[in-house]
């Protein structure tokens, strides 16, 4: 077995402003009861105007560097998973690199919606395994409030703003770190979850704004059916191909889009509910941030111990979906 990437730091950051289900009851025709029973969400965080998703990514990264006790100049590479970069270009990786003062790092953004963190972690681990880099920062950050229509009850209750990140470094011991990943995409899902306006196909115009094409659209029912199936399939697949069962897993950290999707995947894997990391009640769906945020919470709560097997899994727009198997190394 060759050199593996281990996670040596993890951190998250959320804005202070809380938007509760009760607040949403005053904005659209919905109820706390509907949102809670259909999704598991009670409240979410909102960044507010004047700041973009890179701001949250910087905050999360600064905390990570401090806790790991290294300077930003030691970073080799920054990969940012996001669907809400501050601007079309320059990318968030450049913005975060500059704000951190990571002057020896290059970087790029990766767009895989809610699967963004899994795809970015998979990519980053290859830069460590190849021997090319020694310190790779993987950031998931999304300001979903910037692309959410707060007059559309079918989507505005679902999303929130947050950032989280991990640091990957080469491991000394065999059998630890990012052991495996399984990723998929299927572009036939493009018609069910999208943001059409402002790209090269539908450049921003009065018409795109009038038609609300700068907001995300989701056919919830269709996406739900695909998510329940695919997230469970890919979670079971990574267990089976590594000859593990749900009983071997210390924590399952699923993407937080809907509690019912999380529960279905955990049941298919045979993972007990106390091992399933859930924070959707407090943050809603924060797209690329949900999984590293879940990892950061259990890490800072002192729940992780060396040798723990962790499975992470996600499903999102594209469609994109994937899972990663990590053995905790610190
Ligand atoms: N409050 C009250 N009623 C509502 C609300 C609301 N906020 N939203 C929808 N409804 C109504 C609908 O209008 C519908 O009414 P009707 O029957 O009279 O037409 C009824 O509730 C049921 O609506 P459904 O869409 O069938 O509700 P469902 O149980 O499917 O839940 C949800 C909707 C929560 C969106 C669910 O479909 C879901 O979680 N989908 C998958 C989300 C996901 O995984 N996305 C991928 C990741 S996100 C990314 O990649 C960016």
């Amino acid at each position: 077995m060759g050199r593996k990437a281990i996670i040596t730091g993890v951190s998250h950051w959320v804005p202070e402003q809380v938007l509760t289900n009760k607040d949403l009851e005053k904005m659209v025709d919905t109820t706390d009861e509907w949102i809670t029973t259909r999704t598991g969400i009670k409240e979410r965080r909102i960044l507010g105007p004047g700041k973009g998703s890179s701001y949250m990514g910087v905050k999360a990264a600064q905390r990570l560097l401090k806790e790991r006790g290294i300077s930003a100049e030691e970073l080799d590479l920054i990969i940012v998973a996001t669907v809400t970069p501050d601007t079309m270009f320059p990318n968030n990786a450049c913005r975060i690199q500059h704000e951190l003062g990571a002057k020896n790092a290059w970087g790029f953004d990766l767009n895989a919606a809610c699967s963004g963190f899994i795809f970015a972690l998979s990519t980053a681990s290859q830069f460590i395994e190849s021997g090319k880099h020694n310190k790779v920062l993987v950031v998931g950050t999304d300001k979903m409030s910037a692309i959410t229509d707060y007059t559309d009850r079918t989507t505005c209750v679902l999303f929130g703003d947050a950032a989280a990140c991990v640091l990957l470094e080469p491991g000394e011991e065999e059998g630890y770190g990012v052991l495996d990943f399984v990723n998929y995409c299927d572009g036939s899902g493009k018609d069910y979850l999208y943001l059409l306006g402002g790209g090269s196909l539908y450049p921003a115009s009065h018409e795109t704004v009038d038609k609300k094409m700068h907001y995300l659209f989701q056919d919830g029912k269709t996406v739900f059916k695909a998510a329940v199936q695919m997230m469970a399939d890919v979670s079971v697949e990574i267990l089976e191909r590594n000859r593990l069962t749900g009983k071997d897993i210390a924590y399952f950290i699923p993407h937080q889009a809907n509690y019912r999707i999380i529960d279905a995947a955990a049941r298919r894997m045979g993972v007990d509910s106390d091992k399933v990391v859930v924070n959707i009640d407090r943050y809603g769906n924060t797209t690329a941030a949900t999984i590293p945020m879940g990892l950061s919470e259990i890490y800072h709560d002192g729940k992780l111990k060396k040798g723990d097997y962790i499975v992470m899994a996600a499903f999102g727009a594209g469609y994109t979906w994937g899972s990663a198997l990590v053995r905790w190394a610190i």
Side-chain angles (χ1 to χ4, degrees):
M1 218 160 109
R3 165 174 145 133
K4 284 285 176 199
I6 63 167
I7 296 175
T8 57
V10 55
S11 178
H12 69 283
W13 189 86
V14 295
E16 269 177 31
Q17 189 189 332
V18 176
L19 181 67
T20 65
N21 290 353
K22 288 279 170 207
D23 296 331
L24 285 162
E25 284 181 355
K26 293 175 209 137
M27 296 161 65
V28 289
D29 180 16
T30 192
T31 59
D32 174 38
E33 205 264 331
W34 191 95
I35 303 169
T36 306
T37 54
R38 294 296 179 114
T39 71
I41 303 168
K42 297 297 282 184
E43 60 184 46
R44 65 291 286 144
R45 301 297 179 101
I46 303 294
L47 182 60
K51 292 188 176 76
S53 60
S54 75
Y55 175 85
M56 298 189 291
V58 168
K59 290 282 189 193
Q62 284 171 333
R63 180 180 170 205
L64 183 152
L65 293 172
K66 195 166 170 224
E67 289 178 358
R68 175 73 185 89
I70 61 167
S71 81
E73 290 176 18
E74 291 180 58
L75 297 175
D76 302 311
L77 168 62
I78 300 171
I79 304 178
V80 182
T82 186
V83 290
T84 53
D86 289 18
T87 51
M88 288 278 281
F89 64 87
N91 62 26
N92 264 7
C94 289
R95 291 175 183 278
I96 291 173
Q97 180 263 357
H98 177 67
E99 281 300 315
L100 289 177
K103 63 182 188 199
N104 298 309
W106 66 292
F108 56 90
D109 286 9
L110 186 156
N111 175 338
C114 294
S115 309
F117 180 76
I118 299 285
F119 282 25
L121 183 77
S122 309
T123 306
S125 69
Q126 301 309 291
F127 282 95
I128 299 284
E129 287 189 16
S130 72
K132 188 84 181 158
H133 290 313
N134 290 317
K135 286 187 171 56
V136 181
L137 181 70
V138 182
V139 183
T141 185
D142 270 303
K143 184 183 178 183
M144 297 306 287
S145 64
I147 56 168
T148 299
D149 177 359
Y150 285 95
T151 65
D152 173 9
R153 69 174 183 174
T154 69
T155 52
C156 76
V157 302
L158 304 174
F159 296 97
D161 303 337
C165 55
V166 299
L167 182 67
L168 294 185
E169 298 183 61
E172 306 275 308
E173 296 169 80
E174 291 239 329
Y176 289 87
V178 182
L179 299 182
D180 196 12
F181 56 83
V182 184
N183 291 324
Y184 294 101
C185 68
D186 174 2
S188 69
K190 70 178 173 27
D191 298 330
Y192 309 109
L193 179 49
Y194 53 72
L195 190 158
L196 293 180
S200 58
L201 186 57
Y202 303 104
S205 66
H206 288 292
E207 193 192 351
T208 63
V209 174
D210 289 344
K211 290 184 171 166
K212 298 190 167 195
M213 290 163 72
H214 53 297
Y215 292 130
L216 73 87
F217 168 84
Q218 174 171 258
D219 172 347
K221 245 192 195 61
T222 305
V223 177
F224 183 89
K225 279 187 206 140
V228 164
Q229 178 78 39
M230 302 308 182
M231 205 169 88
D233 282 356
V234 82
S235 304
V236 169
E237 184 180 348
I238 203 160
L239 284 181
E240 286 179 352
R241 71 188 224 171
N242 287 279
R243 287 186 279 283
L244 296 169
T245 72
K247 300 285 168 231
D248 300 313
I249 300 306
Y251 289 102
F252 174 48
I253 312 181
H255 172 56
Q256 313 275 310
N258 188 316
Y259 182 72
R260 292 181 288 147
I261 299 171
I262 294 172
D263 191 47
R267 280 172 198 270
R268 279 269 308 278
M269 293 168 78
V271 172
D272 294 338
S273 59
D274 61 329
K275 294 177 174 177
V276 182
V277 176
V278 177
N279 59 23
I280 191 171
D281 50 330
R282 285 169 291 134
Y283 303 122
N285 182 350
T286 58
T287 304
T290 63
I291 292 173
M293 183 150 68
L295 183 68
S296 179
E297 287 193 325
I298 57 171
Y299 173 72
H300 287 99
D301 288 346
K303 290 181 177 167
L304 282 173
K305 53 183 196 309
K306 190 172 173 183
D308 279 351
Y309 282 107
I310 302 164
V311 170
M312 309 171 184
F315 180 91
Y319 297 133
T320 54
W321 67 105
S323 58
L325 173 68
V326 172
R327 191 153 185 230
W328 197 246
I330 57 170

